[in-house]
Amino acid sequence: MVGRIYPDDFAAFGYGVYPAGSTPPPPRVVDQLRASSVEPEERVRGVMHTFFQPLQRRPAGQLQLLQVWEEAWKAAGWETRVLSLADARRHAEFEAFSARVWQVPLESNPQYDYLCYVRYMAMEAAGGGWMSDMDVLPVSIPRGLGLPHAGRFTVYERFVPSLISASAAEWRRMRELMVDVGVAKRKTRTKQFSDMHALNELHQRAEVPYVPMWLVASGSGFAREMNSSGVVCAAYADGWQQIRS
């Protein structure tokens, strides 16, 4: 494939961009991730989760997107599991956590952003593992990958929580940390502080408390970039990159 996709960021992780026909590509991204992986709990092995809680009276468009998401991940060899608010409610600490989330400034879109925080508890209750947004579709991500970085909380779009892998303990650690950061914003003039805002603030710390990577691409940007340049991007060439529509 050809394209110029996030060259500076990939270089930071050792995945460079090379002129076509020159330097051989570096080790495959997926091989490096697999080497650092641990096996998840049996109940979530080979499962890609997403979180869906209808907020509209007629969520036809959302249901269509969910169907596309399920079909795409199943075609890539994964099982799929759709979590909802009911899964989070099964957690013994749900009521206390829910009350804390409502202390985070969520003024402009409160119900949606409340659910964005609660989904981390749903993932913990499910046993941890992989979670993607419904608009993230696989290019080529092997089902038997396990949990990279020894199960540490890993965000594959830097601080955008579109694709994440982590052990159940790490989902717990990060949901507590993110809500702590959010609740602290009550002392400021902040009116809106989503889970992405929390991850972004944590991403700017001297010691980032999670593993940030950049292996999810914009679908429209992907198509445009892949047709506009004469370089080979190793991260795409090895088939790892995922697409967010």
Side-chain angles (χ1 to χ4, degrees):
M1 292 184 179
V2 296
R4 188 183 301 278
I5 312 296
Y6 314 132
D8 295 336
D9 204 71
F10 278 122
F13 290 102
Y15 313 125
V17 176
Y18 301 88
S22 62
T23 309
R28 288 170 22 118
V29 179
V30 68
D31 290 340
Q32 295 195 9
L33 292 175
R34 183 181 285 114
S36 70
S37 293
V38 295
E39 287 296 323
E41 293 186 25
E42 179 66 32
R43 57 178 167 158
V44 298
R45 194 167 299 168
V47 176
M48 182 59 67
H49 302 82
T50 196
F51 185 91
F52 177 63
Q53 184 70 35
L55 293 177
Q56 303 173 5
R57 292 184 179 180
R58 298 179 180 179
Q62 293 178 331
L63 291 173
Q64 289 177 343
L65 178 59
L66 181 61
Q67 181 180 355
V68 170
W69 176 86
E70 288 194 283
E71 291 175 353
W73 283 100
K74 286 179 179 178
W78 291 71
E79 296 178 34
T80 59
R81 187 170 300 157
V82 181
L83 303 177
S84 68
L85 182 59
D87 294 281
R89 286 186 179 278
R90 282 193 279 270
H91 197 292
E93 300 173 11
F94 173 78
E95 294 299 336
F97 182 70
S98 176
R100 289 185 62 226
V101 173
W102 282 120
Q103 295 178 37
V104 178
L106 304 174
E107 288 188 15
S108 64
N109 199 6
Q111 193 63 39
Y112 174 82
D113 283 319
Y114 165 80
L115 291 171
C116 284
Y117 279 102
V118 167
R119 62 181 173 162
Y120 295 80
M121 175 168 271
M123 279 298 299
E124 179 196 346
W130 287 83
M131 181 185 74
S132 86
D133 282 345
M134 290 193 301
D135 61 352
V136 174
L137 306 179
V139 172
S140 178
I141 172 173
R143 179 178 181 272
L145 185 57
L147 299 178
H149 306 112
R152 285 193 64 200
F153 195 91
T154 303
V155 181
Y156 295 90
E157 199 174 356
R158 300 178 79 181
F159 56 83
V160 179
S162 59
L163 181 65
I164 301 172
S165 65
S167 67
E170 282 287 280
W171 282 101
R172 176 187 179 85
R173 179 181 69 86
M174 284 299 295
R175 56 110 166 154
E176 288 291 321
L177 181 56
M178 292 165 65
V179 171
D180 284 345
V181 171
V183 171
K185 293 298 178 180
R186 288 175 61 88
K187 300 178 182 179
T188 70
R189 295 183 178 181
T190 302
K191 294 183 178 181
Q192 181 71 21
F193 200 76
S194 68
D195 62 325
M196 184 176 72
H197 290 131
L199 283 172
N200 188 24
E201 182 158 313
L202 294 171
H203 183 260
Q204 297 177 46
R205 291 186 176 181
E207 294 187 10
V208 182
Y210 65 91
V211 181
M213 301 191 74
W214 199 347
L215 297 175
V216 176
S218 164
S220 58
F222 174 85
R224 183 173 59 254
E225 294 287 351
M226 297 305 281
N227 288 291
S228 65
S229 181
V231 296
V232 174
C233 176
Y236 279 96
D238 74 17
W240 162 257
Q241 197 84 2
Q242 313 312 308
I243 300 299
R244 178 165 55 80
S245 60

Short mmCIF file of all heavy atoms in Angstrom, two decimals, residues 78-132:
data_model
loop_
_atom_site.label_atom_id
_atom_site.label_comp_id
_atom_site.label_asym_id
_atom_site.label_seq_id
_atom_site.Cartn_x
_atom_site.Cartn_y
_atom_site.Cartn_z
N TRP A 78 -13.37 -12.82 14.85
CA TRP A 78 -13.65 -12.55 16.26
C TRP A 78 -15.09 -12.91 16.61
O TRP A 78 -15.99 -12.84 15.78
CB TRP A 78 -13.45 -11.06 16.57
CG TRP A 78 -12.02 -10.63 16.51
CD1 TRP A 78 -11.24 -10.50 15.40
CD2 TRP A 78 -11.19 -10.24 17.62
NE1 TRP A 78 -9.98 -10.07 15.74
CE2 TRP A 78 -9.93 -9.91 17.09
CE3 TRP A 78 -11.41 -10.15 18.99
CZ2 TRP A 78 -8.88 -9.49 17.91
CZ3 TRP A 78 -10.37 -9.73 19.80
CH2 TRP A 78 -9.11 -9.41 19.25
N GLU A 79 -15.30 -13.26 17.86
CA GLU A 79 -16.65 -13.29 18.40
C GLU A 79 -16.99 -11.86 18.82
O GLU A 79 -16.08 -11.06 19.10
CB GLU A 79 -16.74 -14.21 19.62
CG GLU A 79 -16.46 -15.67 19.32
CD GLU A 79 -16.52 -16.51 20.58
OE1 GLU A 79 -17.35 -16.19 21.47
OE2 GLU A 79 -15.73 -17.46 20.69
N THR A 80 -18.26 -11.52 18.84
CA THR A 80 -18.65 -10.17 19.24
C THR A 80 -19.59 -10.24 20.44
O THR A 80 -20.35 -11.20 20.59
CB THR A 80 -19.34 -9.42 18.10
OG1 THR A 80 -20.50 -10.14 17.68
CG2 THR A 80 -18.39 -9.23 16.92
N ARG A 81 -19.50 -9.23 21.27
CA ARG A 81 -20.38 -9.15 22.44
C ARG A 81 -20.75 -7.69 22.65
O ARG A 81 -19.87 -6.83 22.72
CB ARG A 81 -19.68 -9.71 23.67
CG ARG A 81 -20.57 -9.83 24.91
CD ARG A 81 -19.85 -10.60 26.00
NE ARG A 81 -19.50 -11.95 25.54
CZ ARG A 81 -18.52 -12.69 26.05
NH1 ARG A 81 -17.78 -12.22 27.04
NH2 ARG A 81 -18.27 -13.89 25.57
N VAL A 82 -22.03 -7.43 22.71
CA VAL A 82 -22.53 -6.06 22.89
C VAL A 82 -22.91 -5.87 24.36
O VAL A 82 -23.81 -6.54 24.87
CB VAL A 82 -23.74 -5.79 21.98
CG1 VAL A 82 -24.22 -4.35 22.17
CG2 VAL A 82 -23.37 -6.04 20.52
N LEU A 83 -22.21 -4.97 25.02
CA LEU A 83 -22.49 -4.66 26.42
C LEU A 83 -23.44 -3.46 26.51
O LEU A 83 -23.53 -2.66 25.58
CB LEU A 83 -21.19 -4.34 27.16
CG LEU A 83 -20.11 -5.42 27.13
CD1 LEU A 83 -18.86 -4.93 27.85
CD2 LEU A 83 -20.61 -6.71 27.75
N SER A 84 -24.11 -3.35 27.63
CA SER A 84 -25.04 -2.24 27.84
C SER A 84 -24.99 -1.81 29.30
O SER A 84 -24.21 -2.34 30.10
CB SER A 84 -26.47 -2.67 27.48
OG SER A 84 -26.94 -3.63 28.41
N LEU A 85 -25.83 -0.86 29.64
CA LEU A 85 -25.90 -0.38 31.02
C LEU A 85 -26.21 -1.52 31.98
O LEU A 85 -25.74 -1.53 33.12
CB LEU A 85 -26.96 0.72 31.12
CG LEU A 85 -27.16 1.38 32.49
CD1 LEU A 85 -25.87 2.04 32.97
CD2 LEU A 85 -28.29 2.41 32.41
N ALA A 86 -26.98 -2.50 31.53
CA ALA A 86 -27.33 -3.63 32.38
C ALA A 86 -26.09 -4.40 32.83
O ALA A 86 -26.04 -4.90 33.96
CB ALA A 86 -28.28 -4.57 31.63
N ASP A 87 -25.07 -4.48 31.98
CA ASP A 87 -23.83 -5.18 32.36
C ASP A 87 -23.10 -4.42 33.45
O ASP A 87 -22.55 -5.02 34.38
CB ASP A 87 -22.94 -5.35 31.13
CG ASP A 87 -23.55 -6.27 30.11
OD1 ASP A 87 -23.48 -7.50 30.30
OD2 ASP A 87 -24.12 -5.77 29.12
N ALA A 88 -23.07 -3.10 33.35
CA ALA A 88 -22.43 -2.30 34.40
C ALA A 88 -23.19 -2.41 35.71
O ALA A 88 -22.60 -2.47 36.79
CB ALA A 88 -22.33 -0.85 33.96
N ARG A 89 -24.51 -2.46 35.63
CA ARG A 89 -25.34 -2.54 36.84
C ARG A 89 -25.10 -3.83 37.62
O ARG A 89 -25.36 -3.89 38.82
CB ARG A 89 -26.82 -2.43 36.47
CG ARG A 89 -27.26 -1.03 36.08
CD ARG A 89 -28.77 -0.98 35.88
NE ARG A 89 -29.23 0.35 35.52
CZ ARG A 89 -29.45 1.33 36.40
NH1 ARG A 89 -29.25 1.10 37.69
NH2 ARG A 89 -29.87 2.51 35.99
N ARG A 90 -24.59 -4.85 36.96
CA ARG A 90 -24.32 -6.10 37.66
C ARG A 90 -23.08 -6.01 38.56
O ARG A 90 -22.84 -6.89 39.38
CB ARG A 90 -24.16 -7.24 36.65
CG ARG A 90 -25.49 -7.75 36.11
CD ARG A 90 -25.32 -9.06 35.38
NE ARG A 90 -24.84 -8.86 34.02
CZ ARG A 90 -25.64 -8.69 32.96
NH1 ARG A 90 -26.94 -8.70 33.13
NH2 ARG A 90 -25.14 -8.51 31.76
N HIS A 91 -22.30 -4.95 38.38
CA HIS A 91 -21.11 -4.77 39.21
C HIS A 91 -21.53 -4.36 40.62
O HIS A 91 -22.42 -3.51 40.80
CB HIS A 91 -20.23 -3.68 38.59
CG HIS A 91 -18.83 -3.66 39.11
ND1 HIS A 91 -18.51 -3.31 40.41
CD2 HIS A 91 -17.64 -3.95 38.49
CE1 HIS A 91 -17.20 -3.38 40.57
NE2 HIS A 91 -16.65 -3.77 39.43
N ALA A 92 -20.91 -4.94 41.62
CA ALA A 92 -21.29 -4.68 43.02
C ALA A 92 -21.10 -3.22 43.41
O ALA A 92 -21.76 -2.73 44.33
CB ALA A 92 -20.48 -5.57 43.95
N GLU A 93 -20.21 -2.51 42.71
CA GLU A 93 -19.92 -1.12 43.07
C GLU A 93 -20.62 -0.12 42.14
O GLU A 93 -20.27 1.06 42.13
CB GLU A 93 -18.41 -0.89 43.03
CG GLU A 93 -17.63 -1.78 43.99
CD GLU A 93 -16.12 -1.64 43.82
OE1 GLU A 93 -15.69 -0.71 43.10
OE2 GLU A 93 -15.39 -2.46 44.39
N PHE A 94 -21.60 -0.59 41.40
CA PHE A 94 -22.20 0.28 40.38
C PHE A 94 -22.79 1.56 40.96
O PHE A 94 -22.53 2.65 40.45
CB PHE A 94 -23.28 -0.47 39.60
CG PHE A 94 -24.04 0.45 38.66
CD1 PHE A 94 -23.47 0.84 37.46
CD2 PHE A 94 -25.29 0.94 39.01
CE1 PHE A 94 -24.15 1.71 36.60
CE2 PHE A 94 -25.97 1.80 38.15
CZ PHE A 94 -25.40 2.19 36.95
N GLU A 95 -23.59 1.46 42.00
CA GLU A 95 -24.28 2.64 42.52
C GLU A 95 -23.29 3.71 42.97
O GLU A 95 -23.46 4.90 42.69
CB GLU A 95 -25.22 2.25 43.66
CG GLU A 95 -26.39 1.36 43.23
CD GLU A 95 -27.29 2.03 42.20
OE1 GLU A 95 -27.33 3.28 42.14
OE2 GLU A 95 -27.96 1.30 41.44
N ALA A 96 -22.25 3.29 43.67
CA ALA A 96 -21.25 4.25 44.15
C ALA A 96 -20.50 4.87 42.98
O ALA A 96 -20.26 6.10 42.96
CB ALA A 96 -20.27 3.56 45.10
N PHE A 97 -20.14 4.05 42.00
CA PHE A 97 -19.41 4.57 40.84
C PHE A 97 -20.30 5.51 40.03
O PHE A 97 -19.87 6.58 39.58
CB PHE A 97 -18.92 3.42 39.97
CG PHE A 97 -18.12 3.85 38.77
CD1 PHE A 97 -16.85 4.38 38.92
CD2 PHE A 97 -18.64 3.71 37.49
CE1 PHE A 97 -16.10 4.79 37.81
CE2 PHE A 97 -17.91 4.10 36.38
CZ PHE A 97 -16.64 4.64 36.54
N SER A 98 -21.55 5.12 39.83
CA SER A 98 -22.48 5.94 39.07
C SER A 98 -22.63 7.32 39.71
O SER A 98 -22.64 8.34 39.01
CB SER A 98 -23.84 5.25 39.00
OG SER A 98 -24.80 6.06 38.36
N ALA A 99 -22.74 7.35 41.03
CA ALA A 99 -22.87 8.64 41.73
C ALA A 99 -21.64 9.51 41.51
O ALA A 99 -21.75 10.74 41.36
CB ALA A 99 -23.10 8.39 43.21
N ARG A 100 -20.47 8.89 41.48
CA ARG A 100 -19.24 9.65 41.26
C ARG A 100 -19.18 10.19 39.84
O ARG A 100 -18.73 11.32 39.61
CB ARG A 100 -18.01 8.78 41.54
CG ARG A 100 -17.81 8.47 43.02
CD ARG A 100 -16.51 7.72 43.24
NE ARG A 100 -15.37 8.51 42.83
CZ ARG A 100 -14.36 8.06 42.08
NH1 ARG A 100 -14.37 6.81 41.64
NH2 ARG A 100 -13.35 8.83 41.78
N VAL A 101 -19.63 9.40 38.87
CA VAL A 101 -19.62 9.87 37.47
C VAL A 101 -20.49 11.12 37.33
O VAL A 101 -20.12 12.06 36.63
CB VAL A 101 -20.10 8.76 36.51
CG1 VAL A 101 -20.25 9.32 35.10
CG2 VAL A 101 -19.11 7.60 36.50
N TRP A 102 -21.61 11.14 38.03
CA TRP A 102 -22.50 12.30 37.93
C TRP A 102 -21.90 13.54 38.58
O TRP A 102 -22.44 14.64 38.42
CB TRP A 102 -23.87 11.98 38.53
CG TRP A 102 -24.74 11.17 37.62
CD1 TRP A 102 -25.26 9.93 37.87
CD2 TRP A 102 -25.19 11.53 36.31
NE1 TRP A 102 -26.00 9.50 36.80
CE2 TRP A 102 -25.98 10.45 35.83
CE3 TRP A 102 -25.00 12.64 35.49
CZ2 TRP A 102 -26.58 10.47 34.57
CZ3 TRP A 102 -25.60 12.66 34.24
CH2 TRP A 102 -26.37 11.59 33.79
N GLN A 103 -20.78 13.40 39.28
CA GLN A 103 -20.08 14.56 39.82
C GLN A 103 -19.12 15.18 38.81
O GLN A 103 -18.59 16.27 39.03
CB GLN A 103 -19.31 14.17 41.08
CG GLN A 103 -20.19 13.74 42.24
CD GLN A 103 -19.38 13.30 43.44
OE1 GLN A 103 -18.34 13.87 43.74
NE2 GLN A 103 -19.84 12.27 44.13
N VAL A 104 -18.89 14.48 37.69
CA VAL A 104 -18.03 14.99 36.62
C VAL A 104 -18.84 16.01 35.81
O VAL A 104 -20.03 15.79 35.55
CB VAL A 104 -17.56 13.84 35.71
CG1 VAL A 104 -16.71 14.37 34.56
CG2 VAL A 104 -16.78 12.80 36.51
N PRO A 105 -18.26 17.13 35.40
CA PRO A 105 -19.00 18.10 34.57
C PRO A 105 -19.40 17.48 33.22
O PRO A 105 -18.54 17.15 32.41
CB PRO A 105 -17.99 19.24 34.37
CG PRO A 105 -17.01 19.10 35.49
CD PRO A 105 -16.91 17.63 35.76
N LEU A 106 -20.69 17.30 33.01
CA LEU A 106 -21.20 16.67 31.79
C LEU A 106 -22.36 17.49 31.22
O LEU A 106 -23.33 16.94 30.71
CB LEU A 106 -21.70 15.25 32.09
CG LEU A 106 -20.72 14.27 32.74
CD1 LEU A 106 -21.44 12.97 33.09
CD2 LEU A 106 -19.54 13.98 31.83
N GLU A 107 -22.25 18.80 31.26
CA GLU A 107 -23.41 19.65 31.01
C GLU A 107 -23.99 19.55 29.61
O GLU A 107 -25.20 19.48 29.44
CB GLU A 107 -23.05 21.12 31.31
CG GLU A 107 -22.91 21.40 32.79
CD GLU A 107 -22.75 22.88 33.07
OE1 GLU A 107 -23.04 23.69 32.17
OE2 GLU A 107 -22.34 23.22 34.19
N SER A 108 -23.17 19.55 28.57
CA SER A 108 -23.72 19.68 27.22
C SER A 108 -24.36 18.40 26.69
O SER A 108 -25.28 18.45 25.88
CB SER A 108 -22.62 20.15 26.25
OG SER A 108 -21.61 19.19 26.15
N ASN A 109 -23.87 17.24 27.13
CA ASN A 109 -24.42 15.97 26.63
C ASN A 109 -24.36 14.94 27.76
O ASN A 109 -23.68 13.92 27.65
CB ASN A 109 -23.61 15.50 25.42
CG ASN A 109 -24.35 14.48 24.59
OD1 ASN A 109 -25.52 14.19 24.83
ND2 ASN A 109 -23.68 13.91 23.60
N PRO A 110 -25.07 15.19 28.85
CA PRO A 110 -24.85 14.41 30.08
C PRO A 110 -25.11 12.92 29.97
O PRO A 110 -24.31 12.12 30.44
CB PRO A 110 -25.78 15.08 31.08
CG PRO A 110 -26.82 15.77 30.26
CD PRO A 110 -26.11 16.21 29.02
N GLN A 111 -26.24 12.52 29.38
CA GLN A 111 -26.57 11.10 29.36
C GLN A 111 -25.57 10.30 28.53
O GLN A 111 -25.12 9.22 28.94
CB GLN A 111 -27.98 10.90 28.80
CG GLN A 111 -28.53 9.50 29.04
CD GLN A 111 -28.70 9.17 30.52
OE1 GLN A 111 -29.11 10.02 31.32
NE2 GLN A 111 -28.37 7.95 30.90
N TYR A 112 -25.20 10.85 27.37
CA TYR A 112 -24.24 10.16 26.50
C TYR A 112 -22.88 10.01 27.19
O TYR A 112 -22.29 8.93 27.22
CB TYR A 112 -24.09 10.92 25.19
CG TYR A 112 -23.02 10.36 24.28
CD1 TYR A 112 -23.27 9.26 23.47
CD2 TYR A 112 -21.74 10.93 24.25
CE1 TYR A 112 -22.29 8.74 22.64
CE2 TYR A 112 -20.75 10.41 23.43
CZ TYR A 112 -21.03 9.32 22.62
OH TYR A 112 -20.05 8.80 21.82
N ASP A 113 -22.37 11.11 27.76
CA ASP A 113 -21.04 11.06 28.36
C ASP A 113 -21.04 10.26 29.66
O ASP A 113 -20.03 9.65 30.02
CB ASP A 113 -20.50 12.47 28.59
CG ASP A 113 -20.01 13.10 27.29
OD1 ASP A 113 -19.36 12.39 26.50
OD2 ASP A 113 -20.27 14.29 27.06
N TYR A 114 -22.16 10.25 30.36
CA TYR A 114 -22.29 9.37 31.53
C TYR A 114 -22.08 7.92 31.11
O TYR A 114 -21.32 7.17 31.74
CB TYR A 114 -23.67 9.56 32.16
CG TYR A 114 -24.06 8.48 33.13
CD1 TYR A 114 -23.58 8.49 34.44
CD2 TYR A 114 -24.91 7.44 32.74
CE1 TYR A 114 -23.95 7.48 35.34
CE2 TYR A 114 -25.27 6.44 33.62
CZ TYR A 114 -24.79 6.46 34.92
OH TYR A 114 -25.14 5.46 35.80
N LEU A 115 -22.74 7.51 30.04
CA LEU A 115 -22.61 6.13 29.56
C LEU A 115 -21.18 5.83 29.09
O LEU A 115 -20.71 4.70 29.23
CB LEU A 115 -23.61 5.88 28.43
CG LEU A 115 -25.08 5.85 28.84
CD1 LEU A 115 -25.97 5.81 27.61
CD2 LEU A 115 -25.37 4.67 29.76
N CYS A 116 -20.51 6.84 28.54
CA CYS A 116 -19.13 6.63 28.08
C CYS A 116 -18.22 6.27 29.25
O CYS A 116 -17.31 5.46 29.10
CB CYS A 116 -18.62 7.88 27.37
SG CYS A 116 -19.27 8.09 25.69
N TYR A 117 -18.46 6.86 30.41
CA TYR A 117 -17.68 6.48 31.60
C TYR A 117 -18.13 5.11 32.13
O TYR A 117 -17.29 4.28 32.52
CB TYR A 117 -17.86 7.53 32.71
CG TYR A 117 -17.01 8.76 32.57
CD1 TYR A 117 -17.54 9.95 32.08
CD2 TYR A 117 -15.66 8.75 32.93
CE1 TYR A 117 -16.77 11.10 31.97
CE2 TYR A 117 -14.87 9.89 32.83
CZ TYR A 117 -15.43 11.06 32.34
OH TYR A 117 -14.65 12.20 32.22
N VAL A 118 -19.42 4.88 32.15
CA VAL A 118 -19.95 3.65 32.73
C VAL A 118 -19.51 2.41 31.95
O VAL A 118 -19.37 1.32 32.52
CB VAL A 118 -21.49 3.74 32.82
CG1 VAL A 118 -22.11 2.39 33.11
CG2 VAL A 118 -21.90 4.74 33.90
N ARG A 119 -19.24 2.56 30.65
CA ARG A 119 -18.85 1.39 29.85
C ARG A 119 -17.56 0.76 30.36
O ARG A 119 -17.33 -0.44 30.17
CB ARG A 119 -18.73 1.76 28.38
CG ARG A 119 -17.67 2.81 28.08
CD ARG A 119 -17.62 3.14 26.60
NE ARG A 119 -16.73 4.26 26.33
CZ ARG A 119 -16.24 4.54 25.14
NH1 ARG A 119 -16.55 3.79 24.10
NH2 ARG A 119 -15.45 5.59 24.96
N TYR A 120 -16.69 1.54 31.01
CA TYR A 120 -15.46 0.98 31.56
C TYR A 120 -15.78 -0.01 32.68
O TYR A 120 -15.12 -1.03 32.83
CB TYR A 120 -14.54 2.10 32.07
CG TYR A 120 -14.05 3.01 30.97
CD1 TYR A 120 -14.86 4.03 30.46
CD2 TYR A 120 -12.78 2.85 30.42
CE1 TYR A 120 -14.42 4.86 29.44
CE2 TYR A 120 -12.33 3.68 29.40
CZ TYR A 120 -13.16 4.68 28.91
OH TYR A 120 -12.73 5.50 27.90
N MET A 121 -16.80 0.30 33.47
CA MET A 121 -17.22 -0.64 34.51
C MET A 121 -17.86 -1.87 33.88
O MET A 121 -17.67 -3.00 34.37
CB MET A 121 -18.21 0.03 35.47
CG MET A 121 -18.79 -0.91 36.50
SD MET A 121 -19.68 -0.09 37.84
CE MET A 121 -18.33 0.19 39.00
N ALA A 122 -18.61 -1.69 32.80
CA ALA A 122 -19.20 -2.84 32.10
C ALA A 122 -18.11 -3.77 31.59
O ALA A 122 -18.24 -5.00 31.66
CB ALA A 122 -20.07 -2.36 30.95
N MET A 123 -17.01 -3.20 31.08
CA MET A 123 -15.90 -4.02 30.59
C MET A 123 -15.22 -4.75 31.74
O MET A 123 -14.83 -5.91 31.61
CB MET A 123 -14.90 -3.16 29.84
CG MET A 123 -15.28 -2.86 28.40
SD MET A 123 -15.40 -4.36 27.37
CE MET A 123 -13.73 -5.00 27.49
N GLU A 124 -15.07 -4.09 32.86
CA GLU A 124 -14.48 -4.75 34.03
C GLU A 124 -15.36 -5.92 34.46
O GLU A 124 -14.88 -7.03 34.71
CB GLU A 124 -14.33 -3.76 35.17
CG GLU A 124 -13.77 -4.38 36.44
CD GLU A 124 -13.97 -3.52 37.67
OE1 GLU A 124 -14.29 -2.33 37.53
OE2 GLU A 124 -13.81 -4.06 38.79
N ALA A 125 -16.67 -5.68 34.53
CA ALA A 125 -17.60 -6.73 34.95
C ALA A 125 -17.62 -7.90 33.97
O ALA A 125 -17.84 -9.05 34.36
CB ALA A 125 -19.01 -6.15 35.09
N ALA A 126 -17.37 -7.60 32.69
CA ALA A 126 -17.38 -8.66 31.67
C ALA A 126 -16.13 -9.53 31.73
O ALA A 126 -16.09 -10.60 31.12
CB ALA A 126 -17.50 -8.03 30.28
N GLY A 127 -15.10 -9.07 32.44
CA GLY A 127 -13.86 -9.83 32.53
C GLY A 127 -12.69 -9.20 31.82
O GLY A 127 -11.64 -9.82 31.65
N GLY A 128 -12.87 -7.93 31.39
CA GLY A 128 -11.80 -7.25 30.67
C GLY A 128 -11.73 -7.69 29.22
O GLY A 128 -12.66 -8.29 28.69
N GLY A 129 -10.61 -7.39 28.57
CA GLY A 129 -10.43 -7.77 27.18
C GLY A 129 -10.44 -6.57 26.25
O GLY A 129 -10.04 -5.47 26.62
N TRP A 130 -10.91 -6.80 25.03
CA TRP A 130 -10.91 -5.79 23.97
C TRP A 130 -12.26 -5.10 23.86
O TRP A 130 -13.31 -5.74 23.99
CB TRP A 130 -10.60 -6.44 22.63
CG TRP A 130 -9.17 -6.85 22.45
CD1 TRP A 130 -8.58 -8.00 22.88
CD2 TRP A 130 -8.15 -6.12 21.75
NE1 TRP A 130 -7.27 -8.04 22.51
CE2 TRP A 130 -6.98 -6.90 21.82
CE3 TRP A 130 -8.12 -4.90 21.08
CZ2 TRP A 130 -5.77 -6.48 21.23
CZ3 TRP A 130 -6.93 -4.49 20.50
CH2 TRP A 130 -5.78 -5.27 20.58
N MET A 131 -12.23 -3.80 23.58
CA MET A 131 -13.45 -3.05 23.31
C MET A 131 -13.19 -2.06 22.18
O MET A 131 -12.13 -1.43 22.14
CB MET A 131 -13.92 -2.27 24.54
CG MET A 131 -15.22 -1.48 24.30
SD MET A 131 -15.71 -0.43 25.69
CE MET A 131 -14.51 0.90 25.53
N SER A 132 -14.15 -1.95 21.27
CA SER A 132 -14.04 -0.94 20.22
C SER A 132 -15.35 -0.17 20.12
O SER A 132 -16.41 -0.68 20.49
CB SER A 132 -13.72 -1.59 18.86
OG SER A 132 -14.89 -2.01 18.20
#
